[in-house]
Amino acid sequence: MPRRAVVLAAALAGIAAIAAAAWAADSSPARAPMRPDPPPPPEATAGHAAEGPVSVPEPSTEALSYYRSGNLLWTVAVLWGLAVPAVILFSGLSARLRDWAARHARGRWLLTLLLFVAAYTTITYLVDVPLSLAGFARQHAYGLSNKTLVKWATDSAKALGVSLIAASFLWMPYLLLARSPRRWWLYTGLAAVPFLCFVMLVSPIWIAPLFNDFGPMQDQRLEAKILALADRVGMDADRVYEVAKSVDTKRVNAYVTGFAGTHRIVLWDTLLARLDDDEVLFVMAHELGHYVLGHVTRGVLLSGAVVLLGLWLIHRTSGGMLRRWGARFGFTRLADPASLPLLALLLNLYGLLLSPFALAYSRHQEHQADVFALELTQASRPAATAFVALQTENLSNPRPGWVFRLLRASHPPLGERIDFANAYRPWERGEPLRYGEWVRAAAP
């Protein structure tokens, strides 16, 4: 391996050690002497008729271990995502792959690019297999997975196929790189928004069903309640989809997905098995809040803005790297297909630097959806007990440290959400509601 690649690997290892120390400090309050797992608070299991606020359960020793191992695996995955394209780049493998693709394409630019992209995507997929297997094993070690090794391999192969199809669209930014080397980042960033809309449009219909079976909801009585809730907020839906996630996991979740005419209300069968009707209705009111408040559209625009900023940073910094290391890379122009690992490396790096801002905005949207759901259902206690169920079933840490919040948390901590559900009751005090127009629409 070239000396610079060795130095880079050593630097990344040093960053990993520092990150591991930061995670350890982040979870230090939980490193008290081990004690038996606390039982759930009585008010969290005594039914919705119980009086008083719902307490935030202390995380079990297993949940804290899961939290720490997740932080470690996340750190490794981030550094892996930087190291793999860096090694491919500095070792000259990228240039050799381009030469191989050019020979087989007989000099045709588009075919050369597609062959190179396919080879690079497949190589990185194979290199990532050990890390993916580590995640698979971790879920089983904590009793959160039902997925067999055969289904993991099948789903992984399907994901590779989807990635190859998506990667084939890279001809567009590379064409812009060749035709407009000064403004390619702007045109590519603007094109990212309709592309994201297209992905959201086709994902519920063509992509998600590749991995799990989507069918009609079995509990038709509960489905009618959910559809009535959707009708009250103006969402045109005629069915609720129940996805068979229990074949993969024991975790619980629900979501509203899709774009324009392909939106779908989706519940995991695991969630339906573990939450009661009032809790499920609150969860669905939260997801409908995302739809009503336009979070999908805003999320697409935010993603487009992040991509645009990331591409501009790549445009500003890649030139210096090419001038310094272009001979080692085997190319001197960003429009060369062999530049893909350089683009991947810089995009991963800048994505990591920009992620705290995107995550903070995501937490803001999730809080808005919580407020919307509480005002729509006026079911504070079912909301709090639903969050308790999410915490215990998913082995979540209800009060993670600041490093986790900064770098990983797309939702507010569950402890904060339970506390907020307990305290937020403006309708009982005659106070104005933030989303009162939707509550008025719900009146009989």
Side-chain angles (χ1 to χ4, degrees):
M1 181 183 297
R3 184 172 62 86
R4 283 192 175 88
V6 175
V7 172
L8 179 63
L12 291 174
I15 296 173
I18 295 171
W23 284 123
D26 188 45
S27 57
S28 58
R31 298 171 71 90
M34 300 289 281
R35 59 186 183 276
D37 294 348
E43 65 270 28
T45 58
H48 302 326
E51 296 182 357
V54 175
S55 299
V56 179
E58 288 293 322
S60 66
T61 54
E62 186 179 30
L64 293 177
S65 175
Y66 182 72
Y67 169 73
R68 296 185 190 111
S69 66
N71 290 339
L72 178 60
L73 188 62
W74 179 88
T75 302
V76 172
V78 168
L79 296 175
W80 194 259
L82 297 173
V84 169
V87 170
I88 293 175
L89 189 63
F90 280 92
S91 67
L93 176 59
S94 183
R96 292 195 293 274
L97 280 176
R98 179 214 47 216
D99 293 341
W100 166 84
R103 286 195 304 273
H104 286 76
R106 298 185 179 181
R108 287 172 287 183
W109 174 83
L110 180 58
L111 186 55
T112 298
L113 175 65
L114 293 178
L115 286 175
F116 175 86
V117 167
Y120 177 79
T121 302
T122 303
I123 289 172
T124 52
Y125 162 80
L126 294 173
V127 172
D128 289 345
V129 165
L131 197 61
S132 181
L133 276 173
F136 170 81
R138 174 173 170 265
Q139 295 298 315
H140 277 277
Y142 287 94
L144 292 175
S145 179
N146 296 321
K147 182 176 287 189
T148 66
L149 188 59
V150 171
K151 190 169 191 301
W152 170 86
T154 302
D155 286 351
S156 184
K158 291 177 182 177
L160 173 61
V162 172
S163 297
L164 288 170
I165 294 173
S168 67
F169 287 90
L170 285 172
W171 68 268
M172 288 186 284
Y174 269 99
L175 181 62
L176 292 171
L177 273 165
R179 299 288 178 85
S180 182
R182 292 185 177 181
R183 295 185 177 85
W184 70 271
W185 59 273
L186 175 62
Y187 301 142
T188 303
L190 294 176
V193 173
F195 179 76
L196 290 171
C197 291
F198 172 75
V199 171
M200 294 188 66
L201 190 70
V202 302
S203 181
I205 299 175
W206 301 106
I207 299 177
L210 293 174
F211 301 94
N212 291 102
D213 293 330
F214 288 72
M217 190 170 174
Q218 300 300 310
D219 188 341
Q220 296 183 359
R221 177 186 54 81
L222 181 56
E223 180 185 36
K225 293 182 180 180
I226 295 172
L227 291 176
L229 204 63
D231 183 66
R232 283 165 47 180
V233 300
M235 181 177 182
D236 184 18
D238 58 1
R239 66 184 298 188
V240 178
Y241 291 84
E242 182 174 330
V243 56
K245 287 295 290 187
S246 56
V247 69
D248 293 332
T249 183
K250 296 178 183 177
R251 297 165 65 91
V252 298
N253 197 14
Y255 55 90
V256 173
T257 187
F259 190 76
T262 66
H263 55 250
R264 290 184 175 185
I265 303 173
V266 180
L267 289 164
W268 289 12
D269 57 352
T270 53
L271 180 136
L272 292 169
R274 290 167 175 78
L275 271 62
D276 66 25
D277 286 9
D278 289 338
E279 292 168 341
V280 170
L281 288 173
F282 169 79
V283 171
M284 293 315 304
H286 170 96
E287 299 302 331
L288 291 170
H290 286 306
Y291 170 82
V292 169
L293 301 176
H295 289 171
V296 173
T297 301
R298 294 177 186 177
V300 169
L301 294 176
L302 176 64
S303 299
V306 170
V307 169
L308 182 63
L309 180 56
L311 293 176
W312 177 78
L313 290 171
I314 291 173
H315 173 69
R316 297 292 296 177
T317 56
S318 59
M321 297 182 68
L322 289 173
R323 285 190 295 271
R324 182 172 182 178
W325 293 305
R328 182 174 293 279
F329 294 164
F331 60 89
T332 56
R333 296 184 311 115
L334 207 57
D336 192 305
S339 69
L340 183 57
L342 175 61
L343 294 173
L345 172 63
L346 293 177
L347 199 57
N348 287 345
L349 177 61
Y350 294 133
L352 178 64
L353 296 177
L354 295 173
S355 64
F357 304 99
L359 290 171
Y361 184 71
S362 174
R363 291 193 297 272
H364 170 70
Q365 287 191 325
E366 294 297 335
H367 179 68
Q368 285 184 322
D370 283 349
V371 173
F372 181 91
L374 285 166
E375 293 183 352
L376 184 62
T377 63
Q378 298 186 2
S380 297
R381 188 171 189 83
T385 55
F387 289 139
V388 169
L390 290 175
Q391 175 189 328
T392 55
E393 295 295 336
N394 294 344
L395 289 182
S396 299
N397 182 352
R399 303 194 189 279
W402 69 270
V403 179
F404 182 95
R405 289 174 61 101
L406 181 70
L407 297 177
R408 296 191 61 195
S410 60
H411 291 61
L414 283 168
E416 293 181 8
R417 300 175 82 179
I418 295 170
D419 292 340
F420 182 79
N422 285 326
Y424 189 72
R425 300 168 183 261
W427 54 88
E428 294 182 357
R429 298 185 290 269
E431 299 173 355
L433 306 180
R434 298 186 203 178
Y435 306 109
E437 66 272 22
W438 298 107
V439 174
R440 286 195 299 271

